[in-house]
Amino acid sequence: MPEWPATRVTLIDRLRDPQDREAWTEFVALYGPLIFEFARRRLPQDEDAADVMQEVLSAVMGGRYQRPRGRFQKWVVTVLLNKIRDFHSARVRRCEVAGDARVTDLLQEKPSRSDEEEWDQDRQRHLFRAASERVRARITTIHWDVFVRTALHNQPGPEVARSLGVSLTNVYAIKSRLMKEIKEEIHQFGED
Amino acid sequence: MDPQQDCPSKADWLQILKACLPGLSPCDSAQHLDSCCHCQAVVEELTEGSRTWLPIAAELRQPVSHLPRACRRALEEVQEHPFSATPQPSDAGFPHECAAREVGGDLKGPNMTPCIHIERMLHRSSIAVAGESAAGYALVKLIPSGLFTCCGVRTGRCTPASRRT
């Protein structure tokens, strides 16, 4: 299993190499669902959001992000919002929603702070999950169980130790170690 | 819960937790911890997690939502066929680039050639004809019967295996 690169910018830099399929796979798996969910809240159908997701990913694949010009996250959310706006604009041109004032208003909007905040929150949540899944994949079921009970559901250590047949010291050690590992994974996701 | 004489210090417990490899046989400190409420409280506090942990824990408690079929198929397509489509004005992501998009409307680049990009999108079971500025936008449903036909034109290359034209 490939290691996560030190930063996302490194991953984005790797995308410039067309031979590096692993980087592309990694990027799509990490960002694809995130882009889809963000777009889906603004578009009428799953298929529309899937189209937008593909277009945004193709813009990334096309190497159109230039690092010196700004943060990758800022760039990608702006491209995403542009694509969504293009979608609504095309619908208006096709007269599907002619006269819909809400859509017309939407077309006038520029990326707002709330859009960017929403993107950042989505991204943070998504990275939490991705990090925990990566940690979960490399540990035993019982260790994950210990972690879930103690760190997520706040069950007392002695109770968890008794029910899972693990020593109390190990319960605390597992909890402490996995919390640290998840944080480290998240830290490694840190972008620009 | 007063500390007993033989209670390890907080710093000791920190070291014990760091060095303790799950699965090893219980050591003296582990036996002590089983019976000492004071030390249990100390260790509980040490492993409580900082403020940054709280949102992580809250998120991880939420059930995982499964991606819709359309999204999964679109992701598969992108994974299998990474492509670089013709740059669109909407690919401009930074403010100064957006200004060009807003002022000029369509971004007229010297490298743009008149073409229609036809693409089969598995997540839609349809063909998209992009190129709105010139030819409008059309979605043509496929009739899944042998070779795909599109607008009366047999598109022999558009088979499930080749996926993209």
Side-chain angles (χ1 to χ4, degrees):
Chain A
M1 187 181 291
E3 290 298 316
W4 287 101
T7 67
R8 290 297 96 184
V9 172
T10 305
L11 176 60
I12 283 130
D13 288 341
R14 282 172 58 201
L15 291 175
R16 295 180 196 286
D17 177 6
Q19 305 302 318
D20 196 345
R21 293 291 297 253
E22 206 174 76
W24 179 243
T25 303
E26 203 173 286
F27 181 85
V28 170
L30 189 62
Y31 277 86
L34 176 62
I35 293 168
F36 174 85
E37 284 167 13
F38 186 87
R40 183 64 185 87
R41 288 195 292 273
R42 291 161 171 79
L43 295 169
Q45 296 181 62
D46 287 346
E47 288 79 5
D48 303 325
D51 285 350
V52 164
M53 177 188 72
Q54 283 192 335
E55 287 176 18
V56 174
L57 290 173
S58 80
V60 175
M61 187 57 182
R64 280 160 229 155
Y65 166 64
Q66 299 294 320
R67 189 177 182 182
R69 294 190 190 173
R71 288 178 64 229
F72 174 73
Q73 292 305 328
K74 171 88 174 170
W75 177 82
V76 81
V77 73
T78 308
V79 171
L80 175 52
L81 289 163
N82 285 345
K83 297 288 182 190
I84 292 167
R85 208 167 288 126
D86 285 353
F87 173 88
H88 288 296
S89 176
R91 285 185 81 198
V92 169
R93 281 202 296 274
R94 294 198 306 273
C95 302
E96 284 181 12
V97 287
D100 188 331
R102 197 179 61 84
V103 173
T104 311
D105 290 347
L106 217 137
L107 293 175
Q108 305 302 321
E109 287 175 12
K110 293 180 180 173
S112 67
R113 178 173 285 275
S114 64
D115 286 327
E116 288 176 20
E117 282 172 3
E118 184 183 330
W119 170 259
D120 282 340
Q121 283 172 4
D122 280 3
R123 186 169 53 87
Q124 206 172 32
R125 281 199 293 266
H126 189 70
L127 297 187
F128 287 167
R129 284 214 173 274
S132 71
E133 285 305 316
R134 288 193 64 86
V135 170
R136 184 180 190 169
R138 62 179 180 237
I139 63 170
T140 63
T141 311
I142 195 160
H143 285 188
W144 183 253
D145 206 3
V146 167
F147 171 74
V148 168
R149 290 178 187 224
T150 53
L152 304 189
H153 297 292
N154 295 320
Q155 285 183 20
E159 185 184 313
V160 175
R162 269 195 305 278
S163 64
L164 295 178
V166 181
S167 81
L168 192 53
T169 314
N170 279 354
V171 165
Y172 288 121
I174 291 166
K175 177 187 178 187
S176 172
R177 181 169 60 90
L178 297 191
M179 281 167 69
K180 186 164 167 269
E181 285 186 23
I182 288 177
K183 281 184 194 169
E184 281 171 358
E185 288 283 350
I186 292 168
H187 183 67
Q188 285 184 347
F189 289 148
E191 295 94 351
D192 35 353
Chain B
M1 285 203 298
D2 290 334
Q4 300 167 14
Q5 273 192 332
D6 57 345
C7 280
S9 67
K10 200 171 178 176
D12 288 341
W13 274 120
L14 203 56
Q15 289 306 311
I16 290 166
L17 288 176
K18 280 182 184 171
C20 179
L21 298 175
L24 291 183
S25 59
C27 55
D28 290 344
S29 56
Q31 287 171 343
H32 174 88
L33 187 63
D34 283 338
S35 57
C36 178
C37 292
H38 167 75
C39 284
Q40 285 177 17
V42 169
V43 174
E44 190 73 53
E45 189 189 328
L46 283 173
T47 59
E48 199 171 35
S50 60
R51 216 187 291 174
T52 56
W53 176 254
L54 297 176
I56 302 176
E59 174 57 25
L60 296 182
R61 279 195 297 269
Q62 301 298 318
V64 183
S65 59
H66 294 287
L67 290 172
R69 187 165 165 268
C71 178
R72 291 198 308 273
R73 294 193 75 167
L75 284 172
E76 283 168 19
E77 281 181 60
V78 176
Q79 292 277 21
E80 287 172 23
H81 303 280
F83 56 90
S84 177
T86 307
Q88 302 291 317
S90 52
D91 293 349
F94 294 125
H96 50 285
E97 296 169 329
C98 291
R101 161 188 154 86
E102 285 159 13
V103 172
D106 289 332
L107 200 63
K108 291 174 184 171
N111 295 329
M112 289 181 76
T113 52
C115 64
I116 296 178
H117 180 76
I118 302 178
E119 187 178 323
R120 181 177 172 218
M121 298 181 294
L122 289 181
H123 59 282
R124 277 189 185 278
S125 297
S126 60
I127 284 180
V129 182
E132 303 174 290
S133 58
Y137 180 86
L139 275 175
V140 185
K141 290 297 261 184
L142 280 175
I143 303 170
S145 57
L147 287 175
F148 297 113
T149 52
C150 174
C151 300
V153 178
R154 176 164 286 192
T155 54
R157 292 178 60 203
C158 193
T159 62
S162 62
R163 295 189 176 196
R164 305 173 68 78
T165 58

